[in-house]
Amino acid sequence: MEADPLEKLTTDWADYTFNPWIGCTKVSDGCRECYAHRQQDLRFGRVEWGDGNPRSRTSTSYWEKPKLWDWRAYYYKNRPFVSCGSLCDVFDPEVSSCWRDDLFRLIEETPHLVWLLLTRRISEVVQFTERLPNNVALGVSISSQDEYNRDAPLLREAALKLHPIFTFGNFEPLLAPVTLDYFTAPKWVIVGCETGPLGRFMMPDWARNLRDQSAVMGLSFYFKQASELRSGPSDLLDGAHHRNRPNTLNREWLLGHRDWLDKLLSDTGYRGPAPDCSGIAMPERHHQPN
Ligand code: SF4
């Protein structure tokens, strides 16, 4: 029996993947080889891609899973990342706002998870979203300099209005070189080539440039996969893994989760005075895949 495709899609840059619904419309050149379209429409026939076609909401039992992940995160004292919407776009205007409200309610009920909301419709976020749950990180998918110039300022505007934990740019598929700028660069830069049988080639220099710009600007950098020139692991850039994630244990979050912090300290045998969160500085996390 084939495994549940929703479960199979968990990716390394996140700890879990959750899809509140399935279906979308292609809105950019970067969507050309969309694997969600290939898999869920062309292969499984579960939904038809495009405007005017209904999206398919995932099951009630599937919607319960994040609560289990949240309980685990509380118990193990970590903050896993949940990639939300690998088979859809959370800010798709074809989706009823009730569905989005249900999703935001679920996000609020799972405060130990960091929900990564990634969109190609950042203008929708700026115009129509009044608030985000406080355990959300907001990101845009960017494939070229034109998209960066258009969407990075909107991401910054959305961040100023909605206060996500951090912003991120998913440069995947990266189809051209991109130059970041200090004022609009997202805090987390993720880079990957286009996958699939007709995936377009990503020049290694485009990824190197983003890696080096991230280092200069103090941004976290995550490299997902390179276009294959020869055999060997494709998640290496110049022979090295790059799997940095932004720090999410910030002062505000810790202050709001005092019981969680106390449990962490008692479980680790800490006997000193209660820490003063005001000066807390957590090191950047270097993610180790399981
Ligand atoms: S926005 Fe994302 S899910 Fe939607 S068509 Fe484009 S690549 Fe696919």
Side-chain angles (χ1 to χ4, degrees):
M1 191 174 72
E2 187 153 3
D4 180 350
L6 297 177
E7 292 294 306
K8 272 197 309 188
L9 287 167
T10 299
T11 50
D12 196 28
W13 63 294
D15 302 288
Y16 302 105
T17 297
F18 182 77
N19 281 288
W21 52 85
I22 297 172
C24 194
T25 300
K26 296 190 178 185
V27 289
S28 124
D29 186 35
C31 297
R32 196 186 85 179
E33 299 300 316
C34 172
Y35 79 96
H37 173 229
R38 278 203 319 272
Q39 185 196 64
Q40 297 292 322
D41 183 349
L42 304 181
R43 184 171 165 209
F44 296 151
R46 175 163 180 171
V47 285
E48 220 173 301
W49 238 243
D51 278 342
N53 293 320
R55 310 319 188 199
S56 168
R57 184 161 162 150
T58 45
S59 69
T60 310
S61 59
Y62 176 74
W63 275 63
E64 289 297 310
K65 290 191 177 192
K67 294 176 188 167
L68 174 66
W69 305 336
D70 184 66
W71 182 86
R72 260 192 223 143
Y74 176 81
Y75 187 81
Y76 289 109
K77 299 171 284 297
N78 56 20
R79 289 198 85 191
F81 284 9
V82 180
S83 158
C84 182
S86 60
L87 303 175
C88 62
D89 188 322
V90 168
F91 299 99
D92 179 357
E94 296 278 315
V95 168
S96 131
S97 59
C98 299
W99 285 13
R100 225 172 343 261
D101 290 346
D102 289 348
L103 173 65
F104 285 2
R105 207 168 302 119
L106 175 67
I107 292 174
E108 280 169 340
E109 286 168 7
T110 53
H112 304 94
L113 306 177
V114 175
W115 287 79
L116 307 174
L117 303 192
L118 176 63
T119 184
R120 280 195 182 270
R121 297 168 170 87
I122 191 67
S123 59
E124 296 280 334
V125 181
V126 174
Q127 286 178 46
F128 301 117
T129 308
E130 292 305 318
R131 56 172 287 279
L132 286 177
N134 65 9
N135 50 333
V136 158
L138 189 61
V140 284
S141 286
I142 292 170
S143 296
S144 65
Q145 188 71 53
D146 283 350
E147 287 187 1
Y148 180 82
N149 296 345
R150 183 193 64 198
D151 290 347
L154 293 176
L155 178 63
R156 181 174 155 77
E157 196 182 327
L160 290 172
K161 177 179 163 195
L162 302 167
H163 310 293
I165 307 177
F166 59 82
T167 56
F168 62 106
N170 186 41
F171 295 83
E172 184 190 19
L174 185 61
L175 301 174
V178 175
T179 302
L180 307 176
D181 82 66
Y182 276 101
F183 296 107
T184 60
K187 186 167 169 48
W188 191 22
V189 172
I190 302 160
V191 172
C193 72
E194 190 163 60
T195 56
L198 300 177
R200 289 160 283 183
F201 192 78
M202 177 181 75
M203 296 295 288
D205 270 350
W206 303 344
R208 282 188 195 113
N209 281 341
L210 281 170
R211 176 196 61 193
D212 297 346
Q213 291 178 69
S214 300
V216 169
M217 294 185 195
L219 311 172
S220 303
F221 179 77
Y222 194 104
F223 186 66
K224 274 182 162 179
Q225 75 272 335
S227 298
E228 287 281 3
L229 270 181
R230 48 175 125 47
S231 58
S234 63
D235 57 348
L236 298 175
L237 181 59
D238 292 336
H241 287 120
H242 298 275
R243 292 173 173 164
N244 294 340
R245 289 183 179 189
N247 169 31
T248 56
L249 294 177
N250 58 24
R251 174 176 177 266
E252 286 70 28
W253 192 83
L254 286 172
L255 283 174
H257 292 79
R258 193 69 217 201
D259 61 329
W260 184 89
L261 179 62
D262 289 343
K263 181 171 180 338
L264 184 151
L265 294 171
S266 79
D267 286 3
T268 52
Y270 179 76
R271 295 282 175 272
D276 172 11
C277 296
S278 60
I280 205 149
M282 306 297 287
E284 183 174 87
R285 178 177 169 192
H286 293 263
H287 177 60
Q288 297 295 325
N290 296 326

